[in-house]
């Protein structure tokens, strides 16, 4: 299934993408698409619905974050061997964990706002993993049982904040609008092998990133297991799993986002995002 939340910020409704690619309203069936709707049992119930009886959504509504009430937005750094080579950094021996603020979450096509004082805002197309069942210290063998599905994430990053102002990556990762997610959540039954997915990103019509999850240093199963050793993963938590080469920081000379730039990015089978870069706005 492809599940979504759509509508104005703070007023999103749950929806389902039918086999013809049309958005259908689920609000008469579930109140929202949040932690309570992500268990295997709840998802199986939704899968049994006759989608033809669900009303079609009107017009072309905004995509919201496909999961509500996200308690943690966890990220993994330097998790593609070819990206680490691009950055001139050694492959990590263990997954590098940092956190993106939940307040950075935004819809797939919402604008990216340059933070105040930004000099080096960058892009990163990534595979997002959505947790469906509470996971604490789970084994790598069991880890995939705790996954509800997958989505596209743009791990937007301010490199000067991240790398030149102390050792805490979080400062460059958690700014408002720095976490576009979606457009929808694809349940794990539709993604039999998350380690064989093509990823790509275009900036102003030019291909910048092109990769495949097969070059991940640590697999999805390894990441879920590893992170669960250090924090309890709750239903609705999102883990974004690293980016392939082609980020602006790795260009010669480096290239960073500016006002009115346009990004289009996607992952095979998981949909596309479209974002325009806007200047800082107070409030």
């Amino acid at each position: 299934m492809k599940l979504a939340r759509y509508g104005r910020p703070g007023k999103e409704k749950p929806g389902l993408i039918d086999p013809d690619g049309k958005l259908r309203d689920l609000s008469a069936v579930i109140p929202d698409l949040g932690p309570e709707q992500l268990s295997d049992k709840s998802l199986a119930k939704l899968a049994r619905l006759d989608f033809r009886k669900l009303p079609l959504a009107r017009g072309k509504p905004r995509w919201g974050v496909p999961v509500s009430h996200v308690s943690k937005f966890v990220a993994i750094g330097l998790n593609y061997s070819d990206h680490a080579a691009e950055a001139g950094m050694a492959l990590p021996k263990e997954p590098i964990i940092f956190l993106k603020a939940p307040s950075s979450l935004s819809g797939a096509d919402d604008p990216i706002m340059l933070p105040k004082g930004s000099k080096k805002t960058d892009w990163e197309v990534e595979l997002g993993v959505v947790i469906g069942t509470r996971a604490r210290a789970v084994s790598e063998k069991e880890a995939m049982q705790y996954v509800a599905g997958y989505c596209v994430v743009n791990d937007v990053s301010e490199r000067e904040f991240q790398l030149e102002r102390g050792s805490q990556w979080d400062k460059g990762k958690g700014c408002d609008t720095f976490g576009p997610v979606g457009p929808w959540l694809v349940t794990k039954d539709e993604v039999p092998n998350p380690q064989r997915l093509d990823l790509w990103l275009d900036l102003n019509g030019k291909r910048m990133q092109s990769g495949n999850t097969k070059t991940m240093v640590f697999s999805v199963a390894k990441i879920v297991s590893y992170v669960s050793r250090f924090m309890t993963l709750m239903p609705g938590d999102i883990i974004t799993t690293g980016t392939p080469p082609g980020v602006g920081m790795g260009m010669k000379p480096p290239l960073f986002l500016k006002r009115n730039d346009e990004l289009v990015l996607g992952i095979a089978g998981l949909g596309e995002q479209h974002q325009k870069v806007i200047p800082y706005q107070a409030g």
Side-chain angles (χ1 to χ4, degrees):
M1 285 184 298
K2 294 181 176 66
L3 300 169
R5 297 173 67 247
Y6 67 97
R8 292 181 293 121
K11 302 290 184 181
E12 292 93 346
K13 296 180 179 181
L16 178 150
I17 312 301
D18 72 18
D20 296 322
K22 296 178 180 178
L23 175 62
R24 293 183 178 267
D25 184 15
L26 276 174
S27 56
V29 180
I30 53 175
D32 201 350
L33 185 61
E36 294 181 0
Q37 288 76 42
L38 295 175
S39 68
D40 288 345
K41 183 178 179 180
S42 296
L43 291 174
K45 185 177 179 179
L46 290 176
R48 290 193 295 268
L49 291 173
D50 183 351
F51 70 87
R52 293 167 295 187
K53 295 181 179 179
L54 298 172
L56 290 167
R58 297 180 180 178
K60 294 184 178 181
R62 164 189 171 270
W63 298 114
V65 178
V67 180
S68 68
H69 301 93
V70 177
S71 70
K72 289 187 288 300
F73 193 4
V74 184
I76 306 298
L78 289 178
N79 194 37
Y80 281 69
S81 56
D82 37 9
H83 173 54
E86 167 188 58
M89 303 176 78
L91 293 179
K93 295 181 180 179
E94 297 185 33
I96 297 171
I97 300 174
F98 60 92
L99 297 175
K100 290 177 73 76
S103 55
S104 73
L105 288 164
S106 59
D109 298 342
D110 290 348
I112 293 171
M113 181 175 69
L114 297 172
K116 187 175 183 179
S118 170
K119 299 177 181 178
K120 299 179 180 180
T121 296
D122 205 347
W123 57 84
E124 294 189 13
V125 59
E126 304 196 1
L127 172 66
V129 180
V130 179
I131 300 299
T133 305
R134 181 177 179 272
R136 183 175 66 181
V138 302
S139 70
E140 186 174 344
K141 184 177 179 180
E142 299 171 327
M144 302 306 286
Q145 300 174 24
Y146 296 84
V147 172
Y150 304 93
C151 54
V152 182
V153 175
N154 188 355
D155 176 19
V156 186
S157 310
E158 214 296 344
R159 302 301 188 188
E160 196 238 353
F161 296 178
Q162 176 191 357
L163 301 171
E164 301 175 33
R165 300 178 67 172
S167 62
Q168 303 303 311
W169 283 20
D170 302 42
K171 290 187 292 186
K173 296 286 191 171
C175 303
D176 291 351
T177 75
F178 271 26
V181 177
W184 43 70
L185 163 69
V186 180
T187 53
K188 62 185 176 184
D189 58 294
E190 292 197 11
V191 186
N193 187 353
Q195 305 307 148
R196 288 294 184 271
L197 299 175
D198 290 328
L199 308 86
W200 56 271
L201 180 145
D202 292 348
L203 171 64
N204 299 325
K206 181 180 179 181
R207 183 61 46 94
M208 309 301 287
Q209 289 189 272
S210 182
N212 189 284
T213 55
K214 67 184 179 182
T215 68
M216 279 186 178
V217 179
F218 304 105
S219 68
V220 170
K222 175 66 176 181
I223 289 167
V224 172
S225 172
Y226 184 86
V227 173
S228 77
R229 291 166 49 189
F230 302 98
M231 62 191 81
T232 299
L233 294 169
M234 302 300 292
D237 285 354
I238 299 171
I239 305 175
T240 188
T241 58
T243 197
V247 299
M249 178 178 65
M251 302 291 169
K252 296 181 180 180
L255 177 66
F256 298 111
L257 294 172
K258 62 184 185 303
R259 181 177 181 175
N260 293 326
D261 278 347
E262 295 186 4
L263 292 167
V264 181
L265 55 145
I267 301 177
L270 303 186
E272 291 185 0
Q273 299 185 355
H274 302 77
Q275 295 132 16
K276 186 171 183 177
V277 179
I278 63 174
Y280 173 76
Q281 299 177 359

Coordinates of all heavy atoms in Angstrom, one line a residue, residues 35 38-41 130-136 138 143-148 188 224 232-237:
P35 N 1.1 6.6 14.9 CA 1.6 5.4 15.5 C 0.6 4.3 15.6 O 1.0 3.1 15.4 CB 2.1 6.0 16.8 CG 2.4 7.4 16.6 CD 1.4 7.9 15.6
L38 N 0.1 2.0 12.5 CA 1.3 1.4 11.8 C 1.7 0.0 12.1 O 2.6 -0.6 11.6 CB 2.5 2.3 12.0 CG 2.4 3.8 11.4 CD1 3.6 4.6 11.9 CD2 2.3 3.7 9.9
S39 N 0.9 -0.6 13.1 CA 1.2 -2.0 13.4 C 0.9 -2.9 12.3 O 0.1 -2.5 11.4 CB 0.4 -2.4 14.6 OG -0.9 -2.5 14.4
D40 N 1.4 -4.1 12.2 CA 1.1 -5.1 11.2 C -0.4 -5.3 11.1 O -1.0 -5.4 10.0 CB 1.9 -6.4 11.4 CG 3.4 -6.3 11.1 OD1 3.8 -5.3 10.5 OD2 4.1 -7.1 11.6
K41 N -1.0 -5.4 12.3 CA -2.5 -5.7 12.4 C -3.3 -4.6 11.7 O -4.2 -4.8 10.9 CB -2.9 -6.0 13.8 CG -4.4 -6.3 14.0 CD -4.7 -6.6 15.4 CE -6.2 -6.9 15.6 NZ -6.5 -7.2 17.1
V130 N 10.3 3.8 8.3 CA 9.3 4.2 9.3 C 9.1 3.0 10.2 O 8.8 1.9 9.7 CB 8.0 4.6 8.6 CG1 6.9 5.0 9.7 CG2 8.2 5.8 7.7
I131 N 9.2 3.2 11.5 CA 9.0 2.1 12.5 C 7.5 1.9 12.7 O 6.8 2.8 12.8 CB 9.7 2.5 13.8 CG1 11.2 2.6 13.5 CG2 9.5 1.4 14.8 CD1 11.9 1.4 13.0
G132 N 7.1 0.6 12.8 CA 5.7 0.3 13.0 C 5.4 -0.3 14.3 O 4.3 -0.3 14.8
T133 N 6.5 -0.9 15.0 CA 6.3 -1.6 16.3 C 7.4 -1.2 17.2 O 8.6 -1.1 16.8 CB 6.3 -3.1 16.1 OG1 5.3 -3.5 15.1 CG2 6.0 -3.9 17.4
R134 N 7.1 -1.0 18.5 CA 8.1 -0.6 19.4 C 9.3 -1.6 19.4 O 9.1 -2.8 19.5 CB 7.5 -0.6 20.8 CG 8.4 -0.2 22.0 CD 7.6 -0.2 23.3 NE 8.4 0.2 24.4 CZ 9.2 -0.6 25.2 NH1 9.1 -1.9 24.9 NH2 9.9 -0.2 26.2
A135 N 10.5 -1.0 19.3 CA 11.7 -1.8 19.1 C 12.8 -1.4 20.1 O 13.2 -0.2 20.1 CB 12.3 -1.7 17.7
R136 N 13.2 -2.3 20.9 CA 14.3 -2.0 21.9 C 15.3 -3.2 21.9 O 14.9 -4.3 22.1 CB 13.8 -1.8 23.3 CG 14.8 -1.4 24.3 CD 14.3 -1.1 25.7 NE 13.7 -2.3 26.3 CZ 13.1 -2.3 27.5 NH1 13.0 -1.1 28.2 NH2 12.6 -3.4 28.0
V138 N 16.7 -4.9 19.5 CA 16.3 -6.0 18.6 C 17.5 -6.5 17.8 O 18.4 -5.8 17.6 CB 15.1 -5.7 17.7 CG1 13.9 -5.2 18.5 CG2 15.6 -4.6 16.7
A143 N 15.1 -7.4 13.0 CA 14.8 -6.0 12.8 C 13.7 -5.6 11.8 O 12.9 -4.7 12.1 CB 16.1 -5.3 12.4
M144 N 13.6 -6.3 10.7 CA 12.7 -6.0 9.7 C 11.2 -6.2 10.1 O 10.3 -5.6 9.5 CB 13.0 -6.7 8.4 CG 14.4 -6.5 7.8 SD 14.8 -4.7 7.6 CE 13.8 -4.4 6.2
Q145 N 11.0 -7.0 11.2 CA 9.7 -7.2 11.7 C 9.1 -5.9 12.3 O 7.9 -5.8 12.5 CB 9.7 -8.3 12.7 CG 10.2 -9.7 12.2 CD 10.3 -10.7 13.4 OE1 9.6 -10.5 14.4 NE2 11.1 -11.7 13.2
Y146 N 10.0 -5.0 12.6 CA 9.6 -3.8 13.3 C 9.4 -2.6 12.4 O 9.0 -1.5 12.8 CB 10.6 -3.4 14.4 CG 10.7 -4.5 15.5 CD1 11.5 -5.6 15.3 CD2 10.0 -4.3 16.7 CE1 11.6 -6.6 16.3 CE2 10.1 -5.3 17.6 CZ 10.9 -6.4 17.4 OH 10.9 -7.4 18.4
V147 N 9.6 -2.8 11.1 CA 9.5 -1.8 10.1 C 8.1 -1.8 9.5 O 7.5 -2.8 9.1 CB 10.5 -2.0 9.0 CG1 10.3 -1.0 7.8 CG2 11.9 -1.8 9.5
A148 N 7.5 -0.6 9.4 CA 6.1 -0.5 8.8 C 6.3 -0.2 7.3 O 5.5 -0.8 6.5 CB 5.4 0.7 9.4
K188 N 6.1 -2.2 3.7 CA 7.2 -3.0 3.5 C 6.9 -4.2 2.5 O 7.8 -4.7 1.9 CB 7.8 -3.5 4.8 CG 6.9 -4.4 5.6 CD 7.6 -4.7 6.9 CE 6.7 -5.6 7.8 NZ 7.3 -5.8 9.1
V224 N 18.4 -0.5 11.9 CA 17.3 -0.6 12.9 C 17.8 -1.3 14.2 O 17.5 -0.8 15.3 CB 16.1 -1.3 12.3 CG1 15.0 -1.6 13.3 CG2 15.5 -0.5 11.1
T232 N 15.0 3.5 22.5 CA 13.8 2.7 22.1 C 13.1 3.4 20.9 O 12.8 4.5 20.9 CB 12.8 2.6 23.2 OG1 13.4 1.9 24.3 CG2 11.6 1.8 22.9
L233 N 12.9 2.6 19.8 CA 12.3 3.1 18.6 C 10.8 2.9 18.8 O 10.3 1.8 19.1 CB 12.8 2.4 17.4 CG 14.3 2.7 17.1 CD1 14.8 1.8 16.0 CD2 14.4 4.2 16.7
M234 N 10.0 4.0 18.6 CA 8.6 3.9 18.8 C 7.9 3.9 17.4 O 8.4 4.4 16.4 CB 8.1 5.1 19.6 CG 8.8 5.2 21.0 SD 8.5 3.8 22.0 CE 6.7 3.9 22.3
P235 N 6.6 3.4 17.4 CA 5.9 3.5 16.1 C 5.8 4.9 15.6 O 5.5 5.8 16.4 CB 4.5 2.9 16.5 CG 4.8 2.0 17.7 CD 5.9 2.7 18.4
G236 N 6.0 5.1 14.3 CA 6.0 6.4 13.7 C 7.4 7.1 13.7 O 7.6 8.1 13.0
D237 N 8.4 6.6 14.4 CA 9.7 7.1 14.3 C 10.3 6.9 12.9 O 10.0 5.9 12.3 CB 10.7 6.5 15.3 CG 10.4 6.9 16.7 OD1 9.6 7.9 17.0 OD2 11.1 6.4 17.7

